Amino acid sequence: TLKELNDAAEKWKNDAQEQVEAAQKETTELRERLSDSHKRLAEALQESVRHKEAADGEVASARHKMRDLEDKADDLSKQVEEAEGRARTALADAKKNEADAREAQERYERELELHAAAAKRVREVEGAARGREGNVTRLEEELSDVKEEL
């Protein structure tokens, strides 16, 4: 009756109060867990930002190094091209010098042959002149002998 209704209402009130307290306790625990999750998420986000900044720095550094290496490679390529050009020029000069030396050697050998031939001819002429001088001397002696006889 009234007492039963009162007891039932009291029981319902107590049950409701227990449910509210349990819900409040669960809400408090969930808020604490949510707060911890937010803290961990914020820490993870900060760590992620630090990693991203570090990675961005490393990427920037790597790009800078890559540009430096590309510049060095370009410089080396230019140096190689210049060296190859100098080598081609030196090779052409060496071939020209070799041809000039060969031509000079051939001229020297021709001059040497001509000189040897001229020296031989001079010796032949000198020999012929000595022979003629001997004939002239002999003829002069004969002439002298003939004059004496006359």
Side-chain angles (χ1 to χ4, degrees), residues 80-94:
V80 165
E81 288 175 12
E82 291 170 359
E84 287 174 342
R86 288 191 303 271
R88 283 189 297 273
T89 301
L91 182 61
D93 289 347

mmCIF file with all atom_site columns, all heavy atoms in Angstrom, residues 80-94:
data_model
loop_
_atom_site.group_PDB
_atom_site.id
_atom_site.type_symbol
_atom_site.label_atom_id
_atom_site.label_alt_id
_atom_site.label_comp_id
_atom_site.label_asym_id
_atom_site.label_entity_id
_atom_site.label_seq_id
_atom_site.pdbx_PDB_ins_code
_atom_site.Cartn_x
_atom_site.Cartn_y
_atom_site.Cartn_z
_atom_site.occupancy
_atom_site.B_iso_or_equiv
_atom_site.pdbx_formal_charge
_atom_site.auth_seq_id
_atom_site.auth_comp_id
_atom_site.auth_asym_id
_atom_site.auth_atom_id
_atom_site.pdbx_PDB_model_num
ATOM 1   N N   . VAL A 1 80 ? 86.559  17.044 -67.592 1.00 0.00 ? 80 VAL A N   1
ATOM 2   C CA  . VAL A 1 80 ? 86.834  15.889 -68.459 1.00 0.00 ? 80 VAL A CA  1
ATOM 3   C C   . VAL A 1 80 ? 86.773  16.323 -69.917 1.00 0.00 ? 80 VAL A C   1
ATOM 4   O O   . VAL A 1 80 ? 87.644  15.967 -70.721 1.00 0.00 ? 80 VAL A O   1
ATOM 5   C CB  . VAL A 1 80 ? 85.837  14.742 -68.173 1.00 0.00 ? 80 VAL A CB  1
ATOM 6   C CG1 . VAL A 1 80 ? 85.861  13.704 -69.270 1.00 0.00 ? 80 VAL A CG1 1
ATOM 7   C CG2 . VAL A 1 80 ? 86.150  14.092 -66.834 1.00 0.00 ? 80 VAL A CG2 1
ATOM 8   N N   . GLU A 1 81 ? 85.730  17.100 -70.273 1.00 0.00 ? 81 GLU A N   1
ATOM 9   C CA  . GLU A 1 81 ? 85.623  17.579 -71.652 1.00 0.00 ? 81 GLU A CA  1
ATOM 10  C C   . GLU A 1 81 ? 86.840  18.421 -72.031 1.00 0.00 ? 81 GLU A C   1
ATOM 11  O O   . GLU A 1 81 ? 87.388  18.269 -73.132 1.00 0.00 ? 81 GLU A O   1
ATOM 12  C CB  . GLU A 1 81 ? 84.339  18.393 -71.823 1.00 0.00 ? 81 GLU A CB  1
ATOM 13  C CG  . GLU A 1 81 ? 83.075  17.560 -71.801 1.00 0.00 ? 81 GLU A CG  1
ATOM 14  C CD  . GLU A 1 81 ? 81.811  18.413 -71.841 1.00 0.00 ? 81 GLU A CD  1
ATOM 15  O OE1 . GLU A 1 81 ? 81.916  19.635 -72.121 1.00 0.00 ? 81 GLU A OE1 1
ATOM 16  O OE2 . GLU A 1 81 ? 80.737  17.862 -71.587 1.00 0.00 ? 81 GLU A OE2 1
ATOM 17  N N   . GLU A 1 82 ? 87.261  19.318 -71.117 1.00 0.00 ? 82 GLU A N   1
ATOM 18  C CA  . GLU A 1 82 ? 88.429  20.147 -71.394 1.00 0.00 ? 82 GLU A CA  1
ATOM 19  C C   . GLU A 1 82 ? 89.682  19.288 -71.532 1.00 0.00 ? 82 GLU A C   1
ATOM 20  O O   . GLU A 1 82 ? 90.496  19.510 -72.430 1.00 0.00 ? 82 GLU A O   1
ATOM 21  C CB  . GLU A 1 82 ? 88.615  21.184 -70.280 1.00 0.00 ? 82 GLU A CB  1
ATOM 22  C CG  . GLU A 1 82 ? 87.536  22.252 -70.259 1.00 0.00 ? 82 GLU A CG  1
ATOM 23  C CD  . GLU A 1 82 ? 87.585  23.132 -69.019 1.00 0.00 ? 82 GLU A CD  1
ATOM 24  O OE1 . GLU A 1 82 ? 88.448  22.903 -68.142 1.00 0.00 ? 82 GLU A OE1 1
ATOM 25  O OE2 . GLU A 1 82 ? 86.746  24.049 -68.929 1.00 0.00 ? 82 GLU A OE2 1
ATOM 26  N N   . ALA A 1 83 ? 89.832  18.308 -70.646 1.00 0.00 ? 83 ALA A N   1
ATOM 27  C CA  . ALA A 1 83 ? 91.004  17.426 -70.704 1.00 0.00 ? 83 ALA A CA  1
ATOM 28  C C   . ALA A 1 83 ? 90.996  16.619 -71.995 1.00 0.00 ? 83 ALA A C   1
ATOM 29  O O   . ALA A 1 83 ? 92.047  16.436 -72.621 1.00 0.00 ? 83 ALA A O   1
ATOM 30  C CB  . ALA A 1 83 ? 91.026  16.494 -69.492 1.00 0.00 ? 83 ALA A CB  1
ATOM 31  N N   . GLU A 1 84 ? 89.818  16.149 -72.389 1.00 0.00 ? 84 GLU A N   1
ATOM 32  C CA  . GLU A 1 84 ? 89.726  15.399 -73.647 1.00 0.00 ? 84 GLU A CA  1
ATOM 33  C C   . GLU A 1 84 ? 90.091  16.300 -74.816 1.00 0.00 ? 84 GLU A C   1
ATOM 34  O O   . GLU A 1 84 ? 90.768  15.868 -75.753 1.00 0.00 ? 84 GLU A O   1
ATOM 35  C CB  . GLU A 1 84 ? 88.317  14.827 -73.823 1.00 0.00 ? 84 GLU A CB  1
ATOM 36  C CG  . GLU A 1 84 ? 88.029  13.653 -72.907 1.00 0.00 ? 84 GLU A CG  1
ATOM 37  C CD  . GLU A 1 84 ? 86.574  13.186 -72.981 1.00 0.00 ? 84 GLU A CD  1
ATOM 38  O OE1 . GLU A 1 84 ? 85.704  13.952 -73.475 1.00 0.00 ? 84 GLU A OE1 1
ATOM 39  O OE2 . GLU A 1 84 ? 86.311  12.056 -72.542 1.00 0.00 ? 84 GLU A OE2 1
ATOM 40  N N   . GLY A 1 85 ? 89.634  17.563 -74.776 1.00 0.00 ? 85 GLY A N   1
ATOM 41  C CA  . GLY A 1 85 ? 89.984  18.506 -75.837 1.00 0.00 ? 85 GLY A CA  1
ATOM 42  C C   . GLY A 1 85 ? 91.482  18.745 -75.887 1.00 0.00 ? 85 GLY A C   1
ATOM 43  O O   . GLY A 1 85 ? 92.086  18.763 -76.971 1.00 0.00 ? 85 GLY A O   1
ATOM 44  N N   . ARG A 1 86 ? 92.083  18.929 -74.692 1.00 0.00 ? 86 ARG A N   1
ATOM 45  C CA  . ARG A 1 86 ? 93.546  19.117 -74.649 1.00 0.00 ? 86 ARG A CA  1
ATOM 46  C C   . ARG A 1 86 ? 94.259  17.860 -75.149 1.00 0.00 ? 86 ARG A C   1
ATOM 47  O O   . ARG A 1 86 ? 95.275  17.958 -75.852 1.00 0.00 ? 86 ARG A O   1
ATOM 48  C CB  . ARG A 1 86 ? 93.990  19.462 -73.235 1.00 0.00 ? 86 ARG A CB  1
ATOM 49  C CG  . ARG A 1 86 ? 93.614  20.865 -72.798 1.00 0.00 ? 86 ARG A CG  1
ATOM 50  C CD  . ARG A 1 86 ? 94.295  21.275 -71.504 1.00 0.00 ? 86 ARG A CD  1
ATOM 51  N NE  . ARG A 1 86 ? 94.035  20.378 -70.392 1.00 0.00 ? 86 ARG A NE  1
ATOM 52  C CZ  . ARG A 1 86 ? 93.022  20.480 -69.540 1.00 0.00 ? 86 ARG A CZ  1
ATOM 53  N NH1 . ARG A 1 86 ? 92.145  21.451 -69.688 1.00 0.00 ? 86 ARG A NH1 1
ATOM 54  N NH2 . ARG A 1 86 ? 92.881  19.629 -68.546 1.00 0.00 ? 86 ARG A NH2 1
ATOM 55  N N   . ALA A 1 87 ? 93.723  16.691 -74.797 1.00 0.00 ? 87 ALA A N   1
ATOM 56  C CA  . ALA A 1 87 ? 94.349  15.435 -75.238 1.00 0.00 ? 87 ALA A CA  1
ATOM 57  C C   . ALA A 1 87 ? 94.255  15.312 -76.756 1.00 0.00 ? 87 ALA A C   1
ATOM 58  O O   . ALA A 1 87 ? 95.227  14.912 -77.413 1.00 0.00 ? 87 ALA A O   1
ATOM 59  C CB  . ALA A 1 87 ? 93.678  14.247 -74.558 1.00 0.00 ? 87 ALA A CB  1
ATOM 60  N N   . ARG A 1 88 ? 93.085  15.674 -77.326 1.00 0.00 ? 88 ARG A N   1
ATOM 61  C CA  . ARG A 1 88 ? 92.943  15.622 -78.785 1.00 0.00 ? 88 ARG A CA  1
ATOM 62  C C   . ARG A 1 88 ? 93.913  16.591 -79.448 1.00 0.00 ? 88 ARG A C   1
ATOM 63  O O   . ARG A 1 88 ? 94.565  16.248 -80.451 1.00 0.00 ? 88 ARG A O   1
ATOM 64  C CB  . ARG A 1 88 ? 91.495  15.939 -79.193 1.00 0.00 ? 88 ARG A CB  1
ATOM 65  C CG  . ARG A 1 88 ? 90.531  14.807 -78.975 1.00 0.00 ? 88 ARG A CG  1
ATOM 66  C CD  . ARG A 1 88 ? 89.168  15.096 -79.605 1.00 0.00 ? 88 ARG A CD  1
ATOM 67  N NE  . ARG A 1 88 ? 88.499  16.247 -79.008 1.00 0.00 ? 88 ARG A NE  1
ATOM 68  C CZ  . ARG A 1 88 ? 87.721  16.195 -77.943 1.00 0.00 ? 88 ARG A CZ  1
ATOM 69  N NH1 . ARG A 1 88 ? 87.499  15.046 -77.347 1.00 0.00 ? 88 ARG A NH1 1
ATOM 70  N NH2 . ARG A 1 88 ? 87.152  17.292 -77.481 1.00 0.00 ? 88 ARG A NH2 1
ATOM 71  N N   . THR A 1 89 ? 94.035  17.784 -78.879 1.00 0.00 ? 89 THR A N   1
ATOM 72  C CA  . THR A 1 89 ? 94.963  18.774 -79.433 1.00 0.00 ? 89 THR A CA  1
ATOM 73  C C   . THR A 1 89 ? 96.400  18.270 -79.332 1.00 0.00 ? 89 THR A C   1
ATOM 74  O O   . THR A 1 89 ? 97.171  18.376 -80.292 1.00 0.00 ? 89 THR A O   1
ATOM 75  C CB  . THR A 1 89 ? 94.812  20.116 -78.685 1.00 0.00 ? 89 THR A CB  1
ATOM 76  O OG1 . THR A 1 89 ? 93.469  20.572 -78.830 1.00 0.00 ? 89 THR A OG1 1
ATOM 77  C CG2 . THR A 1 89 ? 95.770  21.155 -79.210 1.00 0.00 ? 89 THR A CG2 1
ATOM 78  N N   . ALA A 1 90 ? 96.745  17.723 -78.165 1.00 0.00 ? 90 ALA A N   1
ATOM 79  C CA  . ALA A 1 90 ? 98.105  17.200 -77.971 1.00 0.00 ? 90 ALA A CA  1
ATOM 80  C C   . ALA A 1 90 ? 98.380  16.053 -78.935 1.00 0.00 ? 90 ALA A C   1
ATOM 81  O O   . ALA A 1 90 ? 99.483  15.963 -79.495 1.00 0.00 ? 90 ALA A O   1
ATOM 82  C CB  . ALA A 1 90 ? 98.292  16.739 -76.527 1.00 0.00 ? 90 ALA A CB  1
ATOM 83  N N   . LEU A 1 91 ? 97.385  15.188 -79.141 1.00 0.00 ? 91 LEU A N   1
ATOM 84  C CA  . LEU A 1 91 ? 97.550  14.070 -80.071 1.00 0.00 ? 91 LEU A CA  1
ATOM 85  C C   . LEU A 1 91 ? 97.750  14.587 -81.494 1.00 0.00 ? 91 LEU A C   1
ATOM 86  O O   . LEU A 1 91 ? 98.638  14.113 -82.218 1.00 0.00 ? 91 LEU A O   1
ATOM 87  C CB  . LEU A 1 91 ? 96.342  13.134 -79.999 1.00 0.00 ? 91 LEU A CB  1
ATOM 88  C CG  . LEU A 1 91 ? 96.393  11.896 -80.884 1.00 0.00 ? 91 LEU A CG  1
ATOM 89  C CD1 . LEU A 1 91 ? 97.578  11.018 -80.508 1.00 0.00 ? 91 LEU A CD1 1
ATOM 90  C CD2 . LEU A 1 91 ? 95.088  11.114 -80.751 1.00 0.00 ? 91 LEU A CD2 1
ATOM 91  N N   . ALA A 1 92 ? 96.938  15.583 -81.884 1.00 0.00 ? 92 ALA A N   1
ATOM 92  C CA  . ALA A 1 92 ? 97.083  16.162 -83.224 1.00 0.00 ? 92 ALA A CA  1
ATOM 93  C C   . ALA A 1 92 ? 98.465  16.808 -83.365 1.00 0.00 ? 92 ALA A C   1
ATOM 94  O O   . ALA A 1 92 ? 99.129  16.637 -84.397 1.00 0.00 ? 92 ALA A O   1
ATOM 95  C CB  . ALA A 1 92 ? 95.974  17.184 -83.481 1.00 0.00 ? 92 ALA A CB  1
ATOM 96  N N   . ASP A 1 93 ? 98.891  17.538 -82.314 1.00 0.00 ? 93 ASP A N   1
ATOM 97  C CA  . ASP A 1 93 ? 100.224 18.155 -82.350 1.00 0.00 ? 93 ASP A CA  1
ATOM 98  C C   . ASP A 1 93 ? 101.313 17.087 -82.440 1.00 0.00 ? 93 ASP A C   1
ATOM 99  O O   . ASP A 1 93 ? 102.289 17.247 -83.184 1.00 0.00 ? 93 ASP A O   1
ATOM 100 C CB  . ASP A 1 93 ? 100.454 19.020 -81.107 1.00 0.00 ? 93 ASP A CB  1
ATOM 101 C CG  . ASP A 1 93 ? 99.618  20.301 -81.124 1.00 0.00 ? 93 ASP A CG  1
ATOM 102 O OD1 . ASP A 1 93 ? 99.059  20.635 -82.189 1.00 0.00 ? 93 ASP A OD1 1
ATOM 103 O OD2 . ASP A 1 93 ? 99.521  20.946 -80.052 1.00 0.00 ? 93 ASP A OD2 1
ATOM 104 N N   . ALA A 1 94 ? 101.157 16.017 -81.676 1.00 0.00 ? 94 ALA A N   1
ATOM 105 C CA  . ALA A 1 94 ? 102.156 14.940 -81.700 1.00 0.00 ? 94 ALA A CA  1
ATOM 106 C C   . ALA A 1 94 ? 102.218 14.303 -83.085 1.00 0.00 ? 94 ALA A C   1
ATOM 107 O O   . ALA A 1 94 ? 103.318 14.026 -83.594 1.00 0.00 ? 94 ALA A O   1
ATOM 108 C CB  . ALA A 1 94 ? 101.821 13.889 -80.638 1.00 0.00 ? 94 ALA A CB  1
#
